[in-house]
Amino acid sequence: MKIHCTSLGCPRNLTDTEKMMQILSSEGHEMVAEVFLADLLIVNTCGFLSSARKEGKEMVEQLLKEKRRDSFLIVTGCMIPLFQKELEKKFGGHVDRFLPPKEEENIGREVALLEKKKNLLMASHIAQKEVCKQNISKNRAVHLQKKTHFTTSSFAYVKIADGCLKSCSYCIIPKIRGCLKSLRVDEILREIRQLLSLGIMEIVLVAQDLGDYGRDRGEKKGLLGLLQKILTIDGDFWIRLLYLHPSDIDEELLSLMRSDPRICPYFDLPLQHVSPRILSLMRRPSSFEKTSSAIEAIRAFFPEAALRTSLMVGFPSETEGEFLELCDFVKTYALDHVGIFRYSNEKLAVSASLPGQISAAVKREREKILARVQHEVVGRKNRKMIGKKCLALVEKLHPSSPYLAIARSQRQAPDVDSVILINDIAPIASFGKIYSVEITGCADYDLVGQVVVGDPRGEKNG
């Protein structure tokens, strides 16, 4: 059976999509990028925000228009646990299966049932099976621009846990994904080894909160132990940690990170806010004091560390003064990357019933103001980078120019951060390798650089 898969939402969702594709490919099914070629279409949805759910419904609607009349459609992912009835009402019987999250391992059974239903046991299926098994050992399935392609990407997301222990008032993830469930260490290590064997140079560990890893099993230092096991794997690769709560930043973790240069000195701390009152209303298990202490500890261990956070504007009853606290925080602590989000009033979240809901116009204005503040911070920091050298993973040609390449240093996470624009591709022997790069300028949020010819690192990787 030929299958087209669309993945929406966050990197954690993407790992679920890749898992399904790997299962189906190993069973002999063929992945295709073109909708009209597919016997089956799969949409992995995001249900976190109303905007994400709108995107999911629009995608289902689009695929129903484009697909063949005799092809099937499976909708899976985060929309299913809470919003399946809404989807059923909108799309009637046009969706053949609704598959909840955490049931990706059952995708093969679901597809087999559909295949049997329409008697699509094609004679070529058995012959294709061994070919597809060989292909999956060489390639990773990655969703790109609403199409599914096989590619040997330079980085890969590895999910180490699902669900969440926390109960933030604005978030419905625990209702969608359930309570924390940490993956087994051996399972994680096996996936990492497989990815490294495919030429992956950067392993990005993701979870709702990495610091909670293992706590569902009673482990107090689960993440630390996992990292120690990962570091026993030989190889010249990077490890990046996404989503660490400030309270999980301690001297033991920082010491381990400093002990091995493969762990990127990159810290993604999803703070959301700094006002004590707003944090209390958000039910965030943190305080400004803990946040500032964590940042100071990080910078004491790693003076050149990159810090990223996400900040929310327009939370219910947020005053002008509390918003200005956010602006002052961004100016004072000069974080490298800041994602700014307008509060979304999700009816199933606790915060939906809070008084003092902020108007959409005020939220938009606050978002613009905070973005301008961060833009000034980034401009100053980028100018200070000019003339410095760093190791960078040179990934691919720039989509808009064959004369530019895109690279990232350890200070830049894939998909969400700025990049380094390499303006001379001649010294690049191959993509997906780490080179020494000198920063020569900046272009708004991005840096501009050139590969250092004759640098030992460049020769080693080229």
Side-chain angles (χ1 to χ4, degrees):
M1 186 177 279
K2 294 182 179 181
I3 299 175
H4 173 94
C5 198
T6 300
S7 189
L8 304 174
C10 68
R12 295 181 295 277
N13 233 30
L14 181 58
T15 63
D16 293 339
T17 303
E18 292 178 337
K19 181 178 180 180
M20 289 188 289
M21 295 180 74
Q22 184 171 1
I23 290 171
L24 294 173
S25 294
S26 68
E27 293 180 355
H29 301 286
E30 179 186 354
M31 301 300 147
V32 295
E34 296 81 7
V35 173
F36 67 89
L37 291 179
D39 304 305
L40 167 66
L41 297 97
I42 300 174
V43 181
N44 193 4
T45 62
C46 173
F48 182 41
L49 301 174
S50 58
S51 57
R53 296 192 294 274
K54 181 174 181 288
E55 181 186 24
K57 285 182 281 189
E58 289 175 348
M59 176 56 66
V60 172
E61 194 168 27
Q62 176 184 330
L63 292 177
L64 286 173
K65 291 178 180 178
E66 295 179 3
K67 79 180 189 72
R68 301 197 318 261
R69 293 181 63 183
D70 63 342
S71 61
F72 298 113
L73 175 62
I74 292 178
V75 179
T76 184
C78 292
M79 282 191 72
I80 307 308
L82 300 179
F83 305 101
Q84 180 174 335
K85 289 184 178 179
E86 187 177 321
L87 291 169
E88 290 174 343
K89 182 178 180 180
K90 182 173 180 62
F91 298 109
H94 297 295
V95 175
D96 297 280
R97 289 284 190 278
F98 291 100
L99 190 66
K102 296 189 179 182
E103 291 192 20
E104 299 85 8
E105 64 273 12
N106 297 326
I107 189 66
R109 182 189 66 192
E110 297 295 330
V111 172
L113 289 173
L114 290 175
E115 197 172 36
K116 184 177 180 180
K117 176 182 176 182
K118 202 172 181 182
N119 197 25
L120 287 178
L121 298 173
M122 298 171 292
S124 60
H125 179 76
I126 297 176
Q128 291 172 351
K129 189 170 184 178
E130 289 304 316
V131 174
C132 290
K133 280 185 177 179
Q134 294 171 14
N135 286 343
I136 197 64
S137 68
K138 299 177 183 177
N139 304 292
R140 294 182 66 248
V142 176
H143 170 262
L144 179 62
Q145 294 180 345
K146 298 184 180 179
K147 290 187 178 180
T148 302
H149 302 272
F150 283 112
T151 177
T152 51
S153 176
S154 57
F155 73 92
Y157 295 109
V158 174
K159 184 166 64 174
I160 68 171
D162 207 347
C164 188
L165 283 178
K166 296 178 173 58
S167 55
C168 300
S169 66
Y170 55 84
C171 183
I172 61 174
I173 290 296
K175 294 180 180 179
I176 293 174
R177 308 292 301 198
C179 198
L180 177 72
K181 183 179 180 181
S182 302
L183 277 68
R184 299 195 315 271
V185 172
D186 62 327
E187 184 179 348
I188 296 169
L189 295 178
R190 181 167 58 249
E191 182 178 358
I192 291 175
R193 289 192 178 98
Q194 180 186 18
L195 291 168
L196 294 177
S197 72
L198 302 178
I200 298 298
M201 292 298 294
E202 179 179 345
I203 301 296
V204 185
L205 301 183
V206 295
Q208 203 63 40
D209 188 334
L210 290 178
D212 282 338
Y213 177 77
R215 286 176 180 161
D216 53 320
R217 300 189 292 245
E219 301 169 12
K220 294 182 179 180
K221 297 286 184 179
L223 178 61
L224 190 74
L226 175 62
L227 288 174
Q228 290 169 336
K229 292 288 181 61
I230 294 174
L231 292 175
T232 64
I233 300 175
D234 291 331
D236 190 13
F237 60 94
W238 290 352
I239 304 167
R240 189 180 301 276
L241 311 181
L242 287 191
Y243 325 117
L244 265 176
H245 197 272
S247 60
D248 294 314
I249 305 294
D250 58 23
E251 187 171 338
E252 198 171 4
L253 177 62
L254 293 172
S255 296
L256 178 66
M257 294 180 69
R258 191 167 62 179
S259 72
D260 195 312
R262 292 180 296 177
I263 303 182
C264 300
Y266 179 99
F267 298 83
D268 185 0
L269 312 174
L271 303 179
Q272 308 307 340
H273 217 284
V274 295
S275 162
R277 190 183 72 87
I278 295 296
L279 287 172
S280 177
L281 288 174
M282 286 180 168
R283 298 184 179 178
R284 294 288 290 170
S286 186
S287 65
F288 178 74
E289 290 73 24
K290 288 182 180 178
T291 295
S292 58
S293 294
I295 293 174
E296 289 167 5
I298 289 169
R299 286 176 168 166
F301 270 80
F302 301 98
E304 298 299 319
L307 282 85
R308 175 181 178 80
T309 194
S310 54
L311 298 175
M312 186 185 297
V313 298
F315 189 82
S317 77
E318 179 191 53
T319 66
E320 184 71 16
E322 287 165 333
F323 167 68
L324 293 177
E325 286 182 52
L326 274 183
C327 296
D328 290 340
F329 170 79
V330 170
K331 293 175 184 177
T332 302
Y333 286 88
L335 304 188
D336 302 89
H337 312 284
V338 175
I340 304 169
F341 302 92
R342 283 172 269 165
Y343 168 75
S344 177
N345 192 31
E346 298 298 317
K347 63 181 180 180
L348 296 177
V350 173
S351 61
S353 61
L354 290 175
Q357 297 288 331
I358 308 296
S359 72
V362 170
K363 285 189 281 190
R364 284 195 299 269
E365 183 62 22
R366 289 180 180 178
E367 180 186 31
K368 290 178 182 178
I369 292 171
L370 191 56
R372 285 198 295 267
V373 173
Q374 175 61 12
H375 188 267
E376 293 175 3
V377 170
V378 171
R380 291 195 300 271
K381 293 179 78 73
N382 279 355
R383 287 190 290 273
K384 290 181 180 179
M385 288 294 295
I386 296 175
K388 294 184 178 181
K389 294 180 182 179
C390 63
L391 296 179
L393 180 55
V394 181
E395 297 189 290
K396 58 186 177 181
L397 287 174
H398 196 285
S400 64
S401 173
Y403 305 105
L404 294 174
I406 293 176
R408 292 183 296 104
S409 72
Q410 288 192 327
R411 298 171 53 82
Q412 298 163 309
D415 295 334
V416 293
D417 291 340
S418 59
V419 297
I420 303 173
L421 303 173
I422 306 297
N423 55 14
D424 180 6
I425 65 172
I428 302 172
S430 59
F431 293 111
K433 300 295 183 181
I434 299 172
Y435 292 84
S436 179
V437 170
E438 181 177 354
I439 305 303
T440 59
C442 48
D444 203 14
Y445 281 96
D446 296 328
L447 296 168
V448 179
Q450 58 186 18
V451 171
V452 179
V453 180
D455 184 273
R457 182 75 186 211
E459 292 176 359
K460 179 180 177 181
N461 288 278

